[in-house]
Amino acid sequence: MRMSDGVEWAAHACALLAALPEGVGVSAALLAEFNDLPPAYMAKHMQALARAGVVTSARGAGGGYRLARPASEVTLWDIVEAVEGPEPAFRCTEIRQKGPCAAKPAECRHPCQIAAAFHAAEKAWRGSLKAVSLASILADLARKQSPARRAELLAWLETKL
Amino acid sequence: MRMSDGVEWAAHACALLAALPEGVGVSAALLAEFNDLPPAYMAKHMQALARAGVVTSARGAGGGYRLARPASEVTLWDIVEAVEGPEPAFRCTEIRQKGPCAAKPAECRHPCQIAAAFHAAEKAWRGSLKAVSLASILADLARKQSPARRAELLAWLETKL
DNA sequence: TCTATTGCGGATATTTAGCATCCGAATTAT
DNA sequence: ATAATTCGGATGCTAAATATCCGCAATAGA
Ligand code: FES
Ligand code: FES
């Protein structure tokens, strides 16, 4: 079981967007350059975020991406769902209905105990991710990151806008 | 992100082993037949469980697999770890150390906030799986499954032993 | 209007991970 | 000893994720 690297990329991109002043758009190419990522593939992930309504896109000169909601309203789960899709990692294939001792469909109105346990575990996982918003990430970051470094980052961005 | 189907197979196989009387071994081929699964591939997963110490294997005639510990001491996480490996689904590639504004390694003594949040979520997921043992699964099953059906299953098994 | 910029979607190649199978080695009952 | 049984690692195959490119549509500014 492995999560796509695109999730890390998208999360960092969103964190950067959240740190930006209101109203400015950033192109996918610049977001990719910031972390030295393949521009074309980064663009794909940004499109996924836009389709999911996490960010809004504006075409044309001076366009780019920006957050669709306040940073406190965007959680890590929103990003995972946008990039990886909403399907659970564990997918019961109902093997109990196969084989010589197959359970009858009528006996399967309740989900299998094993499947239920896995779904509960994933619910806990999602809940943990939903509790973390971009705002809380930035708050943590501000506590541990020196103000000088933050200024350095913003300065570099301004030269590219 | 997708979990291997082998996890479901292994979980059901272990549940079956747990339901069996003490001291009997079941071959991988029979475990596969029980749920209509590819025998050779099922065997591979059983080997993974054996390597991880979840089950013990005995070769030769009359051999087969059996649980290495009491059913109450085997959790779903043990099975996932054996089949999928212990690595976390989210793997931080430290992209913050890449690009024109790369963070210096000295600034990365603490893990990235994003990585920390994902690791916390996975810890919650694993914790939920560790709370479910084979014994608790069988107990739930016994509550919802008719005694007649349970007898039917054991009867079929005896014909194959 | 014309041009430069930027996002969008589809088509495509490449790489990786999962799926499935086979045959040899080890062990046990006869 | 011998044959039957079963595990174990090595090997090919298939599907999916990864990564890239290019044409099209839309927008802003000259
Ligand atoms: S039948 Fe799918 S988990 Fe039990
Ligand atoms: S650098 Fe990997 S999650 Fe932030």
Side-chain angles (χ1 to χ4, degrees):
Chain A
M1 191 178 52
R2 179 177 185 158
M3 183 172 291
S4 162
D5 291 345
V7 172
E8 185 184 2
W9 304 0
H12 273 265
C14 287
L16 184 59
L17 290 180
L20 246 45
E22 193 86 15
V24 291
V26 183
S27 73
L30 187 56
L31 288 171
E33 184 187 354
F34 187 80
N35 290 115
D36 193 23
L37 298 170
Y41 200 25
M42 183 65 182
K44 268 253 177 287
H45 289 309
M46 294 310 296
Q47 289 171 30
L49 288 171
R51 265 195 301 275
V54 175
V55 301
T56 59
S57 61
R59 299 191 188 191
Y65 292 100
R66 63 200 71 187
L67 283 186
R69 307 191 284 270
S72 58
E73 304 287 324
V74 178
T75 71
L76 284 183
W77 168 249
D78 295 328
I79 295 169
V80 172
E81 188 178 29
V83 174
E84 289 263 341
E87 291 150 21
F90 180 88
R91 301 167 201 186
C92 172
T93 57
E94 290 292 338
I95 60 176
R96 62 177 171 172
Q97 298 187 37
K98 298 268 205 84
C101 293
K104 309 284 187 305
E107 294 172 318
C108 298
R109 301 191 47 224
H110 296 285
C112 174
Q113 279 76 14
I114 293 170
F118 274 103
H119 286 140
E122 288 210 39
K123 190 173 179 182
W125 177 70
R126 287 196 300 271
S128 183
L129 289 181
K130 285 177 185 172
V132 181
S133 70
L134 290 179
S136 64
I137 287 178
L138 287 185
D140 278 1
L141 194 65
R143 203 170 306 131
K144 299 193 177 175
Q145 182 182 252
S146 72
R149 168 134 185 89
R150 182 182 172 83
E152 182 187 344
L153 297 183
L154 290 176
W156 180 84
L157 275 172
E158 296 221 352
T159 69
K160 290 287 185 169
L161 290 177
Chain B
M1 193 179 49
R2 177 175 187 156
M3 183 172 292
S4 163
D5 290 345
V7 173
E8 185 184 2
W9 303 1
H12 274 265
C14 288
L16 184 59
L17 291 180
L20 246 44
E22 193 87 13
V24 292
V26 182
S27 74
L30 186 55
L31 288 170
E33 184 187 355
F34 187 81
N35 289 116
D36 192 23
L37 299 171
Y41 197 27
M42 184 66 186
K44 190 171 170 60
H45 289 309
M46 294 311 296
Q47 290 170 29
L49 289 171
R51 263 195 303 274
V54 175
V55 301
T56 60
S57 61
R59 301 192 188 196
Y65 291 101
R66 64 199 71 186
L67 282 186
R69 304 191 286 270
S72 58
E73 303 288 323
V74 178
T75 71
L76 284 183
W77 168 248
D78 295 327
I79 296 170
V80 172
E81 189 178 29
V83 175
E84 289 262 340
E87 292 152 21
F90 181 88
R91 301 167 201 186
C92 171
T93 58
E94 289 292 338
I95 59 176
R96 60 178 171 173
Q97 298 185 36
K98 298 270 208 81
C101 292
K104 310 285 188 302
E107 295 172 319
C108 298
R109 299 189 50 223
H110 295 286
C112 174
Q113 279 76 16
I114 292 170
F118 274 102
H119 286 140
E122 287 209 39
K123 190 174 180 183
W125 178 71
R126 286 197 300 270
S128 184
L129 290 181
K130 285 176 185 171
V132 181
S133 71
L134 290 179
S136 63
I137 287 178
L138 286 186
D140 277 2
L141 195 65
R143 202 170 306 127
K144 298 194 177 175
Q145 184 181 251
S146 73
R149 168 136 184 88
R150 180 181 173 84
E152 182 186 345
L153 297 183
L154 289 176
W156 180 84
L157 275 173
E158 296 220 354
T159 70
K160 290 287 184 171
L161 289 178

